[in-house]
Amino acid sequence: MKLVKSLLLGSAAGLLAVGGAQAADLPVKAKAVEYVKICSLYGAGFYYIPGTDTCIKLGGYLRAEVALNTNSDFSGQLSGNNGARNRLTNYYTMRAREDLNIDTRTATEYGVVRTFFDGVFSWTTGNYQGTGSAAGGTAYSSTLALNTSGATPALVGGSINGNDGGTSGGSLGVYYAFIQFAGFTMGKAVSQFDAPWTNYPGNNFDSLVGGSGTVTGVNQFSYTADFGQGVTAAFSAEDRAAYYDAGNLNMSGATAGGMIGGAYGSNGIGGTRSPNLVAMVRVDQAWGLFQASVAAHDNHVAYYGATEPTGHPDDKWGWAAQLALSIKNIPTGAGDVINIQGVYTDGATRYNFQNLAGSSYSMFGGSGIAYQSVGFANAPDTVYVTGSSQESVKTWGFRGAYTHNWDPYWNTAIYGAYAQAQYGTLAKTTLCGAGGAGGVFGGLAGVTGCNPDFAIGQVGLITRWTPVKNLTFSADVNWTHLDQKYAGTVAYAGAGATAKPAAVYELKDQDTITLLLRAQRNW
C-alpha cells in the first residue's frame, strides 16, 4: 500500500513539473514594434524620431577632388610657398571630404523649432617649407596652416610626414550649428549680410573677391521678419573675431622685407568689444531676387607696444554696404540664371576680400631685367603708427556669374570678380613718403613707383556633368591677376621658408591660373 501511494505521489509531481515546463514555454505577447514613420510636414527625406513628434533628416555629400597649380584647395598661388612658385610649390593638392548634416524640426504653438548641424571630415595634401638651413632642409606643414575651409581644424597628431593615415593631414570642421525659433537664429549660420549664393555666384573657386561670403557660417544672434509676398528683413549681431578681421596694422613695425612678404606692419587686433551689426532686406519673386545689406564693424586695437603703458589708439568703426541681384527665367534656356553683386567697404575689408579669399599677396614670377619679379599687396581694415589714430582702408568690388544649362545633364558657368583697395594719406606717407619717394619702401634704391593701392581681377569657367541624380563631375579653371602699383626694382634680403635668395627683384604685376577637378555624390 505504501508502495502504491509513493508511486502515485511521484507521478503527480512529475506531471506538475512537466506542466510547469510547458507553461513556461508558452509564447509571451510581444510589444508592438514602433516603425519609423515618414514626416511629410517639411518636405522629402524627413522621418519622425520614434516616440516623439520631432522630425529628422540626414544628408551630406562625399567629395573627391584635385586642384592643379596650387598649394591649397581651391585658391590661386597668392602667398607663401604657393606664391613662391619654385620647388616648394605644389603642382597639385588633393582632398577627400565627407560632409554630414542633421536637420530636426518640431511644430509648436510658437511655430517650428529647428536645429541644424553641418560638419565635415577632410583629408588634404600638406606642404613642405624651407627651414633656412645651409643644408637645404625642409619641414612638413599640415593642412592646419593651409585650411581654406573656414572650419576649425583638428589638432595635429601622428607622424611628422603625414603618411601614417592618422590625423596629420586631416581636419574636422563645423560649418553650421544653430537653433531657429520664432524668427530667431542662434548659433553658427551663414551671415545675414551674404547673398544667397555666399562665395559662389556660379563657381567652385573659393577665393573669389568682390563681396562677402561666410559659406562655413559665423556665430550670430539674428531675427528675421517675414512681411509676406516674398519680402523679408533681418537684423543680426555676428561674431567679429573668426571671419571679419582683415587686420589692424601698426606700420611702425613695417619693413621692406615684410612688405614684400605681404605684411605692412605688426598686427594689433585687440579683444572683442562689439559684434558686427548687420541689417538686411530681401525680395524673393518668381523673376529672381534683390537684396540690400549693411554692416558695422568695430576696429578695436590692443597697444602701440608690448605693454599697457605704451597706450593705444581709440576704436574706429568701419562699415560695409552690398547690393545683390539674381535674375531667373532668362530667354537663353530653362534654369539659366544671372547672379551679380557689388560692395563698398570702409574699415570693414572682409566684406569684400572675404575670409576664404584673404587680403595678403606675395607672388613671384619671371623677369627679363632682374633675378625674378615680385608682386605684393595687403588690404587690412585699418592702419596706424605708434601715437596716431587709426586710418581706415577703403575697398570696393563686384562679382557675378552667368549659368547656362545645355540639357538636364550638362551646365556651364562663366564668372568673374574685381576688387580694389585704397589707402589714405597716413599709410601712403609712412610706406612711400611724400610723392612716393620715401618712407619704408619708396626711398629704396631702384624703386621708381610706390603706392600701396592695388586691385585683384578674376575670371573663371566651370562645366558640370550630372550623369545620374546627385552625382556631379566638374572642372573649374580660374585666372587671377594682381594689379599692384609699385614699379622699378628692389634688393630683397630673401626668405628661408620660401627659399628665395637675397637678390634684386623686379616690381611687377602677377598672374596665376588654377584648375579644380571634382567628383561629388550628394545623399
Side-chain angles (χ1 to χ4, degrees):
M1 188 65 181
K2 289 182 178 180
L3 179 60
V4 173
K5 187 176 181 179
S6 297
L7 289 172
L8 290 172
L9 291 172
S11 299
L15 290 171
L16 289 171
V18 171
Q22 289 177 340
D25 290 340
L26 290 174
V28 178
K29 186 177 181 181
K31 293 182 178 180
V33 176
E34 285 197 48
Y35 293 98
V36 176
K37 296 185 296 183
I38 293 174
C39 174
S40 59
L41 297 174
Y42 311 110
F46 281 92
Y47 296 86
Y48 282 101
I49 298 174
T52 75
D53 59 355
T54 296
C55 299
I56 187 170
K57 179 180 181 180
L58 302 179
Y61 61 80
L62 195 147
R63 175 186 296 170
E65 59 193 8
V66 56
L68 305 179
N69 205 37
T70 178
N71 286 45
S72 59
D73 195 337
F74 171 43
S75 179
Q77 295 176 319
L78 306 180
S79 63
N81 289 329
N82 202 0
R85 294 192 244 190
N86 56 19
R87 295 186 67 84
L88 298 178
T89 304
N90 286 359
Y91 282 8
Y92 70 88
T93 296
M94 301 183 74
R95 172 179 287 170
R97 166 172 286 176
E98 172 62 41
D99 176 278
L100 171 65
N101 58 68
I102 305 170
D103 191 346
T104 71
R105 306 189 193 190
T106 307
T108 75
E109 59 184 307
Y110 298 99
V112 176
V113 177
R114 182 191 185 198
T115 67
F116 188 82
F117 168 82
D118 186 24
V120 292
F121 307 86
S122 303
W123 180 271
T124 309
T125 302
N127 302 261
Y128 285 87
Q129 65 180 23
T131 61
S133 168
T138 60
Y140 182 79
S141 174
S142 78
T143 54
L144 274 176
L146 295 157
N147 181 19
T148 61
S149 69
T152 302
L155 294 176
V156 171
S159 70
I160 189 65
N161 62 16
N163 296 324
D164 64 343
T167 60
S168 54
S171 63
L172 167 64
V174 176
Y175 278 9
Y176 311 126
F178 60 82
I179 300 170
Q180 288 182 323
F181 173 66
F184 291 95
T185 299
M186 300 157 282
K188 194 168 187 278
V190 170
S191 169
Q192 304 301 321
F193 188 94
D194 288 2
W197 48 84
T198 60
N199 308 354
Y200 311 105
N203 54 288
N204 286 339
F205 186 68
D206 287 326
S207 293
L208 212 59
V209 297
S212 69
T214 52
V215 67
T216 56
V218 58
N219 279 326
Q220 60 188 271
F221 190 95
S222 305
Y223 178 74
T224 301
D226 189 339
F227 300 103
Q229 305 298 317
V231 180
T232 57
F235 305 91
S236 184
E238 302 180 354
D239 184 22
R240 183 210 90 195
Y243 299 105
Y244 287 111
D245 288 329
N248 307 120
L249 303 183
N250 186 345
M251 297 179 298
S252 297
T255 64
M259 290 177 64
I260 293 173
Y264 284 15
S266 305
N267 209 337
I269 300 172
T272 56
R273 287 296 183 270
S274 172
N276 285 5
L277 305 176
V278 174
M280 176 275 290
V281 62
R282 177 170 151 184
V283 179
D284 286 273
Q285 303 289 341
W287 56 264
L289 69 88
F290 170 79
Q291 179 175 312
S293 309
V294 294
H297 172 75
D298 179 30
N299 291 289
H300 176 78
V301 177
Y303 299 98
Y304 290 124
T307 60
E308 295 171 350
T310 59
H312 60 82
D314 292 336
D315 285 17
K316 186 177 183 65
W317 281 87
W319 61 275
Q322 178 176 273
L323 299 177
L325 178 68
S326 180
I327 304 174
K328 303 176 183 178
N329 301 321
I330 54 181
T332 56
D336 290 6
V337 62
I338 297 174
N339 295 325
I340 55 175
Q341 65 194 102
V343 66
Y344 180 86
T345 76
D346 185 344
T349 298
R350 278 289 176 261
Y351 288 102
N352 186 359
F353 294 82
Q354 47 93 7
N355 176 64
L356 298 186
S359 55
S360 179
Y361 304 86
S362 179
M363 306 166 65
F364 290 83
S367 173
I369 63 172
Y371 171 72
Q372 286 180 353
S373 65
V374 61
F376 58 90
N378 192 316
D381 292 313
T382 65
V383 294
Y384 60 98
V385 296
T386 299
S388 81
S389 300
Q390 296 186 72
E391 179 182 77
S392 62
V393 175
K394 298 175 175 61
T395 80
W396 61 272
F398 58 87
R399 65 181 175 216
Y402 162 64
T403 301
H404 173 64
N405 294 279
W406 301 101
D407 58 35
Y409 308 102
W410 290 87
N411 72 54
T412 297
I414 182 170
Y415 63 91
Y418 182 85
Q420 188 175 113
Q422 299 172 339
Y423 283 81
T425 302
L426 176 66
K428 291 181 177 180
T429 301
T430 303
L431 300 176
C432 296
V440 175
F441 197 83
L444 299 179
V447 176
T448 58
C450 182
N451 185 346
D453 294 350
F454 72 96
I456 295 289
Q458 297 168 313
V459 175
L461 182 73
I462 179 172
T463 294
R464 303 178 182 91
W465 175 47
T466 305
V468 297
K469 184 179 180 180
N470 293 329
L471 176 64
T472 300
F473 301 90
S474 61
D476 188 344
V477 62
N478 174 273
W479 168 69
T480 297
H481 174 73
L482 169 62
D483 176 15
Q484 52 89 58
K485 308 301 181 184
Y486 301 97
T489 60
V490 64
Y492 178 39
T498 55
K500 290 299 177 184
V504 174
Y505 292 78
E506 181 185 4
L507 301 171
K508 185 179 177 182
D509 296 353
Q510 300 293 330
D511 300 274
T512 174
I513 297 176
T514 56
L515 171 66
L516 178 72
L517 304 175
R518 173 180 290 175
Q520 181 166 315
R521 163 67 169 170
N522 293 350
W523 56 274

